[in-house]
Amino acid sequence: MSYSFTLNGQTVEATTPGLTPLLTVLRDQHGLQGAKLGCGEGRCGSCTVLVDDQPVAACLFPVANVAGRAVRTVEGLAAPGAPLTPVQDALLDHGGVQCGACIPGVVMTLTALLESEPAVDAATAKEALTGNICRCTGYVKIVEAAVAASGRGDQA
Amino acid sequence: MLTTVVSPDVRSPGSIDDAVRQLTDLGADAMPLAGGTWIMRAGLRGETPRRCYVSLDRIAELRRYSVGDVVELGAQLTHRDLTSITTGPAATALRQAAALSAFPQVRNVATLAGNIAATGFAAADLVPALLAGQAEVELAGPEGPHRTTLASYLTSRDQRPSGELITAVRLPAPPGRFSAFERLTVRVGGEYAVANVAVSVDVDAGGSVHDARIAVGAVEPVATLGPARALIGHPVGDDDAAQAAGEAVAAGLTPREDPDAPGWYRVAVVPTLVRRAVAQLPQLIDH
């Protein structure tokens, strides 16, 4: 079967069985390797992408259900050489990135949060991040970055 | 290597009638596909996938809802949708269950009917909230639409006829009804519950409980209603009555054993969860 959807703003077709995970389509057919296969069961958040602006676990999302929807991945946030987004800048500035495996998922979760919430406090950021596991940072710097990025977003 | 077999066919009909027709024609080879968060893990559970899945994603009417003395909720509403639909104190337990379940990435996708229809999913969070609230499920099938109580649907869930799908859930919301949900997880957020509990009470003008229901999930293989008589005739929020009711409910449970928690522990936490849920109720009335 063939499924049409927009991927980072461009219309694409995925010709693949309908139960194929969206993550497989992104990584193997489109070369977008930011979203990672971590646990493969929707618990770790390393495969987080946005579908119609909401974070989803791409490892559990059947490609059949993405037809007609808008998918955004970390690769679509800032073009190569272009300025990073406030979320990406804040994670770098606050030392929120260590090994980096979880970060594409964290960035997409926080991008969706900042798009829907004008002012993010630490509690809101923690709640939003309950589905993103990081085994390096202890989360404090990621949460600080989220709060700081929220402030920057207001000024932008 | 991803975690699901990718060969099954997926069809995406645009109407309930077409979905019923396709499911009926395919028979036992097929089943409905909602958000997919349970079906996509079939391989992890050692299950053999069906030959075909009928996705409900393009059927817009399955996302409808209406509020009133009965809250009517479309099958395809997500957990996230349920947290934002304002439906008053009779549905507080449902909103809380939807908000506490899993993670945002799953709540944004996993559906109301998927939570009810997923076989083998003992820890479903919405189910106890709906059971305590005396919910009914609306079904479509080859014989036409019909309605049954959620309690009877659950006891027959493994033997539902081919071609049938849940189209909506009806949750009664009469005046004077209040509900609350509690769950215990090993970590605070996200995990499957060791036990989850919903309490729904009908309160008279004097603040006394005149009818009550308590539902428990995650302890037995399928969520059940337990005896709530101990709450009746007492002021809403009465802690001694809650303790007595919680003990009566726990005494009737035959727990499952699995690596996440021993059965005795799942039962042992139930009275405390009942007390916590009952303790929420007076605050709902004050608002």
Side-chain angles (χ1 to χ4, degrees), chain A residues 20-134:
Chain A
T20 307
L22 174 60
L23 181 63
T24 302
V25 173
L26 297 176
R27 291 179 61 88
D28 296 353
Q29 296 187 12
H30 294 280
L32 301 177
Q33 304 207 339
K36 305 286 190 291
L37 176 63
C39 67
E41 55 183 32
R43 295 166 77 110
C44 78
S46 68
C47 67
T48 301
V49 301
L50 306 190
V51 173
D52 287 350
D53 302 325
Q54 293 186 17
V56 308
C59 73
L60 295 186
F61 204 102
V63 71
N65 283 357
V66 91
R69 299 182 188 274
V71 178
R72 292 157 66 196
T73 72
V74 71
E75 291 87 351
L77 294 181
L84 297 175
T85 67
V87 168
Q88 292 170 312
D89 270 335
L91 283 164
L92 290 174
D93 291 348
H94 287 77
V97 183
Q98 291 189 25
C99 93
C102 72
I103 291 299
V106 168
V107 167
M108 297 318 288
T109 293
L110 292 180
T111 296
L113 175 66
L114 266 62
E115 287 175 354
S116 63
E117 301 260 347
V120 170
D121 60 16
T124 310
K126 286 179 185 173
E127 172 60 32
L129 288 165
T130 51
N132 291 86
I133 292 176
C134 171

Side-chain angles (χ1 to χ4, degrees), chain B residues 110-121:
Chain B
T111 67
L112 169 62
N115 202 252
I116 294 169
T119 54
F121 186 17

Side-chain angles (χ1 to χ4, degrees), chain B residues 30-54:
Chain B
M31 68 187 301
L33 172 69
T37 53
W38 185 252
I39 286 172
M40 293 291 280
R41 288 178 290 155
L44 291 172
R45 295 189 296 272
E47 297 170 9
T48 306
R50 302 290 174 101
R51 200 164 55 77
C52 184
Y53 291 88
V54 175

Side-chain angles (χ1 to χ4, degrees), chain B residues 14-169:
Chain B
S15 71
I16 292 172
D17 285 349
D18 283 349
V20 167
R21 203 169 298 121
Q22 293 180 13
L23 286 165
T24 305
D25 290 347
L26 291 159
D29 284 341
M31 68 187 301
L33 172 69
T37 53
W38 185 252
I39 286 172
M40 293 291 280
R41 288 178 290 155
L44 291 172
R45 295 189 296 272
E47 297 170 9
T48 306
R50 302 290 174 101
R51 200 164 55 77
C52 184
Y53 291 88
V54 175
S55 172
L56 309 179
D57 193 56
R58 293 189 197 169
I59 308 177
E61 61 190 296
L62 295 178
R63 291 197 178 82
R64 288 187 193 148
Y65 67 91
S66 63
V67 297
D69 281 353
V70 175
V71 180
E72 181 120 8
L73 300 163
Q76 284 281 99
L77 294 171
T78 65
H79 286 55
R80 175 192 165 106
D81 293 332
L82 294 175
T83 64
S84 62
I85 296 170
T86 304
T87 49
T92 301
L94 180 62
R95 283 198 304 277
Q96 291 174 328
L100 288 168
S101 191
F103 314 103
Q105 287 92 327
V106 171
R107 294 198 292 266
N108 289 341
V109 176
T111 67
L112 169 62
N115 202 252
I116 294 169
T119 54
F121 186 17
D125 284 308
L126 304 183
V127 173
L130 293 165
L131 266 181
Q134 299 179 305
E136 297 178 307
V137 292
E138 304 256 16
L139 300 157
E143 311 297 322
H146 56 292
R147 185 188 297 171
T148 186
T149 64
L150 174 61
S152 81
Y153 178 88
L154 290 172
T155 57
S156 59
R157 188 170 64 184
D158 294 345
Q159 301 99 36
R160 302 305 304 180
S162 292
E164 182 184 83
L165 62 95
I166 298 172
T167 56
V169 174

Side-chain angles (χ1 to χ4, degrees), chain A residues 129-146:
Chain A
L129 288 165
T130 51
N132 291 86
I133 292 176
C134 171
R135 294 284 88 137
C136 299
T137 64
Y139 303 101
V140 172
K141 294 178 184 303
I142 292 175
V143 171
E144 288 174 358

